Amino acid sequence: MEYNLKMQNNIERERIYSRADNKGWKKWGPYLSERSWGTVREDYSVHGNAWGFITHDMARSRAYRWGEDGIGGLSDNKGHVCFALAFWNHQDSIIKERLFGLTGPEGNHGEDVKELYYYLDSTPTHSYMKMLYKYPQQPFPYGRLVDAARHRNRLEPEFELVDTGIFDENQYFDIFIEYAKNDENDILIKITAHNRYSQEAQLTMLPTLWFRNTWSWGYEQYAYKPILNGIATTQIAVDHKLLGKYKLYCEDADELLFCENETNTERLYGIPNESLFCKDGINNYVISGDKKYVNPNQIGSKASARYVRAVPGGDSVTIRLRFSQDTHNSQPFADFDEIFDQRLREADEFYDQLQSNVVDPELRTIQRQAYAGMLWNKQFYYYNVNEWLKGDPKMPTPFHGRAYQRNSSWRHMYTANILSMPDKWEYPWFAAWDLAFHTLTLARLDPHFAKRQLAVILREYYMHPNGQIPAYEWNFSDVNPPVHAWATWKVYEIDRDMNGKGDIDFLERVFHKMLLNFTWWVNRKDVNGNSIFGGGFLGLDNIGVFDRSQPLPMGGHIEQADGTGWMAMYTLNMLRIACEIALTRPSYQDMASKFFEHFLHIAAAMKNLGGQGISLWDEDDQFYYDVLHTPDSSMLLKIRSMVGLIPLFAVEILDDKLLEKLPDFKRRVEWVLTNRPDLASLISRWHEPGKGATHLLSLLRGHRMKMLLKRMFDETEFLSEYGIRALSKYHGDKPYEFNLNGEIFTVKYVPNESETSLFGGNSNWRGPIWFPVNYLLIDSLLKFYNYYGDDFEIEYPTNSGQVMSIKEATVLVAERLINIFRRDNTGKVPAYSGHEKFQDDPHFKDLHLFFEYFHGDNGSGLGANHQTGWTGLVADLIEFLYQHRQQQEPIHAKVL
């Protein structure tokens, strides 16, 4: 995409560029997870039952080993000191200390958070942050949510918190959580609870401070136990060996409560407690009123300030705290409001510059909340796989080893970094291909952070010695699409355009590690050494007939159009990066030549598999398909899916000016094209330059590209009102069927939640709209446009009679994706189809959730509802849309 992001400095931008690491102004941030229970890291069960080893009910009583969780919280950049909010509505049997949701086995479509919360704002250094938590005043319907899911099958929608009717009469609190930093280690905290009901309601607020438990596991180097100490009802003193001394100042607190962040073994396992005051002590005291659960000496490793407030109907109450390394004993809140106002002004100034192209107030709000979600979804991620596999010297329950050793081939992996998460409740662990998409949006906010994200997962303590990039926590050995070179180049471009200079050192550093990963792909995923690739998961969970991560039931293997398309894209990404580095380090021309030739071999293989005359392109259907090879035969699997569109991603353009600066590479290209006419014929005619003397490298010549676009832009197939579907709607009436010894395997268009249990069943690539692949399609189409220009016209939508340039059609696709979040001509937001409360209620209608994927027909949000990670790409699409509007007149399609 095109960027024009050079900006003048402002105060927040100066903070961002003051240092490249996650220290200084970024030392404290929203790095606390929303869920540590039910994760692989906390699973010490014999058979790998992560969802059952620590449940939500157990979480309040069990000390975590690898992380912590809370509502609207923050921590330091190594997760030692944590702060979050807990609440009690004087109705529930437990305090609301962490978000509730269904485990994978409980949900009728997999794991699912059952809360309503929104990330509203954040600056990149977290100098200002704001979120909203909606807390019912009636008893929270824990049991009803579980029971409803138990009685629904995969053909039925999920039963959400709003479906219980608990918000219908406005009997709830809107609790706004805000942070403003005075400096790097001085953080102001404001909690404002609005009673949306007409009558007074009681609310207990419990701002809570605690230490991640590092002392209970039997390691000599962590034998030190930090201390929290109460001073009257106004201060909690922090003494931590690594972080030093801090104080939490609590204005007008009713009392301070202390316990230990240690497991209640008596409650969970029937084993006598080693500590008198366990992790659930504050919960037990608030609910029962019995002071035996909290330490009367006001000392411990977990502490809360208790605020009990009667909130008048339609009114609000505010509490203020200050967490600081500085001493503010006399008047810690004297400058509180002034600092808050200043940080908010600076946040507005930062976004005013960043959003200077965007004039539509609705789109500015959508974009800013998308940015907020990206920034709130940072998390401290800690996982030493070797220690985890062995078990600790001392465990809260006996550890007897595992019958199933998940990730046992990744003992080298040791992570302790701030990472961008897909969703801190549903996916509170990094996913490698998700993260690559995250970096594009993050690069516009904080280029340093984006570049570090790409670099860190390629480090030797992440990447496998064989060159594989770890996929995700449940199975590091699974295979994700190789999108990291593409993301690296995109981040490089964004950073260069913002700052006027490209970071060649970053590009070179990543390139070296990507060479190792590329070699892994060639050695491990090209089964027959013929430049055709497979790879199992490849990000598209359940798009095919079979689970591609498992051996095929009939034997043989699949040669994948998407796997091969991804690798063709990878070679061109590496080629472009090598050319850029070669401008200052000429020896990289050899690497550019290597990837140029590798791309040609992949293009040849897709046309003629292993010299057998079999092509992934089907001339009859004018589409790409996977090929199934069994011991007896080979056949195309004729499923019209995103698999067949992915070859569009393999496109790059090189201009004459660049080639003239790389004479060795240019000579090698010309030699290959002259002496290997069989390879030269596979790509665009090199000696016929396109728009602006550019040369096109693509798997698709003009005719094939037009044929793919004809199908992709057909509203009866791939083109939805809200983007490009993952599976053609054609398969709604005509499912694809594969007969194996009398058993029928079926792929049917399903526009909403998955009807199968593949990969947990909570994501579906058989019809819905997914932002990451839509974004890649848009990015690729713009490259084709940059080569062909305005004279190359296509019909959009197919059979409409409207003719326009590739770029004009691309802009209209981007608008369809953006329209998921915009009010349509009836005043409704498609993302919330079926939820009138979200559409019209003044306390809901301007709030945005960024779902994992979207209904293929009506655009409603599905899956994880805070997966801002890749759905946050809508922020970039909004920027692209306005840049196009600035550069050109409105689109006027010709009519055939």
Side-chain angles (χ1 to χ4, degrees):
M1 290 186 186
E2 303 167 26
Y3 295 92
N4 180 22
L5 304 175
K6 294 179 182 177
M7 300 178 187
Q8 296 179 349
N9 275 357
N10 53 48
I11 294 174
E12 175 61 18
R13 190 160 295 281
E14 289 172 3
R15 293 189 192 110
I16 293 167
Y17 285 94
S18 64
R19 58 189 305 161
D21 56 17
N22 291 315
K23 298 178 181 178
W25 274 85
K26 287 184 280 188
K27 177 181 176 180
W28 297 92
Y31 311 140
L32 184 69
S33 179
E34 286 169 357
R35 178 172 63 83
S36 282
W37 60 273
T39 62
V40 167
R41 278 161 293 154
E42 298 298 333
D43 175 23
Y44 285 86
S45 65
V46 174
H47 297 290
N49 179 22
W51 283 115
F53 187 71
I54 301 181
T55 64
H56 177 270
D57 180 63
M58 298 169 67
R60 68 178 181 274
S61 305
R62 166 92 183 206
Y64 296 129
R65 172 63 176 87
W66 298 100
E68 294 291 343
D69 56 22
I71 298 173
L74 78 163
S75 76
D76 65 278
N77 58 8
K78 294 299 178 182
H80 289 295
V81 175
C82 305
F83 175 88
L85 281 302
F87 308 102
W88 186 46
N89 58 11
H90 295 247
Q91 299 291 324
D92 291 337
S93 60
I94 58 172
I95 64 175
K96 178 62 70 171
E97 198 170 4
R98 58 187 47 79
L99 299 174
F100 173 72
L102 303 183
T103 67
E106 286 176 329
N108 60 321
H109 297 110
E111 65 267 37
D112 186 23
V113 68
K114 299 297 185 184
E115 304 272 10
L116 274 178
Y117 57 105
Y118 301 86
Y119 300 129
L120 300 180
D121 210 355
S122 180
T123 59
T125 66
H126 313 295
S127 58
Y128 177 76
M129 298 194 297
K130 183 178 184 179
M131 74 163 284
L132 167 63
Y133 175 66
K134 290 182 176 285
Y135 186 34
Q137 294 171 11
Q138 301 173 49
F140 196 89
Y142 294 105
R144 187 179 174 195
L145 290 164
V146 173
D147 188 62
R150 185 183 299 121
H151 289 90
R152 292 195 177 195
N153 59 37
R154 292 191 178 278
L155 302 180
E156 296 175 281
E158 294 166 355
F159 186 71
E160 304 293 0
L161 181 61
V162 69
D163 297 324
T164 67
I166 204 163
F167 296 105
D168 288 354
E169 303 299 323
N170 294 329
Q171 198 173 351
Y172 68 92
F173 296 105
D174 266 343
I175 305 175
F176 291 91
I177 304 166
E178 294 180 85
Y179 299 94
K181 294 181 182 177
N182 182 41
D183 60 34
E184 296 174 1
N185 294 296
D186 188 5
I187 306 168
L188 284 58
I189 306 160
K190 179 164 61 175
I191 317 299
T192 305
H194 292 263
N195 181 359
R196 298 305 185 193
Y197 194 48
S198 58
Q199 299 177 21
E200 180 181 278
Q202 293 287 116
L203 176 65
T204 292
M205 292 177 278
L206 296 155
T208 304
L209 190 66
W210 73 99
F211 300 117
R212 175 166 57 86
N213 190 321
T214 57
W215 58 88
S216 292
W217 320 111
Y219 294 99
E220 182 68 28
Q221 65 268 38
Y222 298 117
Y224 167 80
K225 183 177 178 179
I227 296 173
L228 298 173
N229 185 46
I231 305 172
T233 61
T234 59
Q235 298 178 31
I236 299 174
V238 178
D239 189 351
H240 193 282
K241 186 176 182 180
L242 297 177
L243 290 177
K245 297 181 184 295
Y246 288 79
K247 281 186 179 178
L248 179 66
Y249 297 92
C250 311
E251 185 181 49
D252 298 328
D254 298 329
E255 59 181 330
L256 303 182
L257 309 174
F258 289 77
C259 62
E260 301 294 344
N261 185 17
E262 295 182 9
T263 299
N264 186 339
T265 55
E266 184 173 337
R267 175 184 178 241
L268 297 180
Y269 311 111
I271 299 172
N273 287 319
E274 293 185 7
S275 173
L276 291 175
F277 311 104
C278 300
K279 180 179 177 180
D280 52 14
I282 294 170
N283 171 86
N284 295 344
Y285 166 65
V286 170
I287 299 299
S288 70
D290 192 335
K291 289 199 171 184
K292 71 178 182 181
Y293 296 110
V294 292
N295 192 330
N297 297 317
Q298 291 198 325
I299 192 170
S301 49
K302 178 181 177 182
S304 294
R306 186 187 190 195
Y307 293 82
V308 182
R309 298 292 184 265
V311 189
D315 207 341
S316 66
V317 297
T318 297
I319 64 173
R320 306 192 301 179
L321 305 100
R322 186 169 191 163
F323 180 75
S324 182
Q325 203 170 37
D326 303 324
T327 300
H328 302 279
N329 288 334
S330 57
Q331 291 184 304
F333 300 97
D335 54 356
F336 189 97
D337 293 337
E338 179 185 344
I339 295 168
F340 247 98
D341 292 344
Q342 177 65 23
R343 293 297 172 262
L344 182 55
R345 281 196 299 271
E346 292 164 2
D348 289 341
E349 180 185 36
F350 173 79
Y351 282 110
D352 282 346
Q353 286 192 8
L354 192 65
Q355 297 181 291
S356 59
N357 290 330
V358 182
V359 298
D360 184 324
E362 183 183 23
L363 290 184
R364 286 175 71 90
T365 298
I366 293 166
Q367 189 182 53
R368 185 155 170 177
Q369 287 186 23
Y371 287 141
M374 295 295 307
L375 294 167
W376 271 91
N377 267 329
K378 294 180 181 181
Q379 182 184 316
F380 171 66
Y381 186 80
Y382 181 40
Y383 192 14
N384 181 331
V385 177
N386 187 50
E387 282 188 0
W388 178 78
L389 286 167
K390 290 189 304 182
D392 298 314
K394 183 181 178 183
M395 299 289 289
T397 58
F399 175 63
H400 301 296
R402 298 177 174 87
Y404 170 53
Q405 288 197 321
R406 192 189 303 273
N407 295 323
S408 58
S409 63
W410 291 81
R411 288 184 178 271
H412 71 284
M413 194 162 171
Y414 187 163
T415 70
N417 303 97
I418 303 299
L419 296 179
S420 176
M421 297 295 150
D423 177 315
K424 287 199 298 187
W425 192 94
E426 196 146 325
Y427 305 105
W429 27 263
F430 82 93
W433 92 295
D434 300 57
L435 187 145
F437 293 103
H438 302 182
T439 60
L440 273 67
T441 309
L442 288 167
R444 300 194 64 236
L445 296 162
D446 183 352
H448 289 316
F449 183 73
K451 289 185 284 186
R452 284 176 64 83
Q453 292 296 286
L454 289 166
V456 73
I457 64 167
L458 301 176
R459 291 178 182 171
E460 56 278 4
Y461 45 88
Y462 280 70
M463 179 183 276
H464 198 280
N466 65 17
Q468 183 177 10
I469 296 172
Y472 51 92
E473 186 170 289
W474 289 86
N475 184 3
F476 287 136
S477 293
D478 217 334
V479 183
N480 279 175
V483 292
H484 296 82
W486 170 80
T488 297
W489 176 250
K490 297 297 293 183
V491 168
Y492 172 83
E493 284 188 307
I494 294 168
D495 183 36
R496 180 191 61 197
D497 292 345
M498 288 178 69
N499 298 297
K501 181 180 180 182
D503 188 347
I504 293 294
D505 290 339
F506 156 72
L507 213 55
E508 186 175 29
R509 179 185 181 191
V510 173
F511 184 82
H512 286 169
K513 292 298 182 71
M514 296 308 302
L515 282 175
L516 298 175
N517 180 248
F518 187 90
T519 303
W520 175 84
W521 272 92
V522 170
N523 290 339
R524 294 296 184 93
K525 296 301 172 183
D526 179 5
V527 175
N528 296 315
N530 61 8
S531 295
I532 294 291
F533 294 83
F537 179 43
L538 283 179
L540 312 180
D541 301 16
N542 52 7
I543 203 165
V545 182
F546 311 108
D547 182 347
R548 300 189 301 181
S549 291
Q550 302 299 324
L552 298 177
M554 76 294 289
H557 66 279
I558 295 176
E559 291 180 319
Q560 295 173 204
D562 56 333
T564 307
W566 287 121
M567 283 303 290
M569 169 182 144
Y570 197 174
T571 59
L572 293 181
N573 299 149
M574 294 293 278
L575 163 62
R576 187 63 189 88
I577 292 171
C579 287
E580 188 75 4
I581 301 173
L583 293 174
T584 53
R585 298 161 174 73
S587 61
Y588 277 80
Q589 292 178 83
D590 290 342
M591 297 307 303
S593 300
K594 175 260 187 298
F595 284 107
F596 174 76
E597 294 187 40
H598 204 126
F599 170 75
L600 294 180
H601 287 298
I602 291 176
M606 289 187 75
K607 183 177 181 182
N608 182 9
L609 300 184
Q612 301 173 30
I614 303 169
S615 173
L616 296 179
W617 175 263
D618 182 62
E619 283 293 340
D620 293 334
D621 285 0
Q622 299 286 291
F623 203 70
Y624 282 105
Y625 296 118
D626 288 346
V627 174
L628 171 65
H629 293 281
T630 68
D632 302 319
S633 64
S634 298
M635 64 177 291
L636 290 169
L637 297 174
K638 292 194 173 185
I639 305 168
R640 298 180 192 172
S641 75
M642 185 62 67
V643 164
L645 300 179
I646 284 174
L648 283 167
F649 299 166
V651 55
E652 189 55 72
I653 55 174
L654 302 175
D655 61 53
D656 283 342
K657 289 182 180 179
L658 176 66
L659 293 171
E660 291 302 322
K661 296 176 183 177
L662 303 173
D664 294 343
F665 172 59
K666 183 181 179 183
R667 276 195 300 272
R668 181 62 184 171
V669 167
E670 292 176 342
W671 186 94
V672 171
L673 296 178
T674 301
N675 292 280
R676 289 295 305 273
D678 57 323
L679 298 179
S681 66
L682 298 169
I683 61 172
S684 65
R685 285 165 288 200
W686 188 262
H687 295 294
E688 293 184 14
K691 174 186 171 187
T694 59
H695 303 277
L696 180 71
L697 289 171
S698 170
L699 291 176
L700 300 162
R701 299 283 286 275
H703 170 72
R704 286 191 180 180
M705 186 188 69
K706 277 197 170 183
M707 291 300 99
L708 275 189
L709 295 187
K710 181 179 179 181
R711 199 176 293 281
M712 187 172 81
F713 291 149
D714 189 335
E715 293 180 310
T716 68
E717 293 218 33
F718 286 98
L719 184 62
S720 161
E721 286 187 49
Y722 305 103
I724 305 300
R725 303 176 174 105
L727 185 74
S728 170
K729 197 172 182 178
Y730 166 85
H731 290 303
D733 296 327
K734 297 180 181 179
Y736 178 84
E737 294 183 343
F738 184 89
N739 189 322
L740 177 63
N741 300 325
E743 183 179 0
I744 304 297
F745 293 81
T746 303
V747 174
K748 180 183 178 182
Y749 171 74
V750 179
N752 47 346
E753 293 96 340
S754 175
E755 294 180 358
T756 77
S757 59
L758 286 180
F759 295 94
N762 66 335
S763 60
N764 180 20
W765 290 82
R766 296 184 177 185
I769 295 153
W770 293 77
F771 262 76
V773 285
N774 271 263
Y775 189 93
L776 275 164
L777 285 168
I778 288 170
D779 186 59
S780 301
L781 291 176
L782 289 174
K783 290 180 181 178
F784 281 114
Y785 168 77
N786 287 337
Y787 176 74
Y788 287 113
D790 291 320
D791 294 334
F792 189 98
E793 295 183 317
I794 59 174
E795 187 181 20
Y796 177 93
T798 302
N799 299 321
S800 69
Q802 297 182 126
V803 175
M804 60 187 69
S805 71
I806 296 173
K807 183 174 183 180
E808 288 171 326
T810 302
V811 170
L812 293 177
V813 172
E815 280 200 285
R816 291 187 181 217
L817 289 159
I818 294 166
N819 286 343
I820 289 172
F821 302 97
R822 300 181 75 176
R823 296 196 175 277
D824 61 22
N825 55 14
T826 69
K828 305 298 184 183
V829 177
Y832 308 120
S833 298
H835 290 103
E836 291 305 310
K837 188 78 170 175
F838 293 166
Q839 303 285 8
D840 305 318
D841 190 292
H843 302 303
F844 282 83
K845 66 184 183 69
D846 295 322
L847 305 173
H848 297 285
L849 295 172
F850 298 88
F851 294 86
E852 187 177 0
Y853 55 106
F854 299 87
H855 194 289
D857 294 335
N858 64 34
S860 60
L862 302 167
N865 56 21
H866 284 83
Q867 191 147 343
T868 320
W870 60 25
T871 303
L873 290 167
V874 70
D876 267 30
L877 295 181
I878 291 170
E879 175 67 24
F880 160 64
L881 177 65
Y882 270 89
Q883 287 184 9
H884 172 78
R885 288 177 176 175
Q886 287 181 345
Q887 295 164 5
Q888 296 185 353
E889 293 296 317
I891 295 170
H892 296 292
K894 301 176 184 177
V895 179
L896 289 174

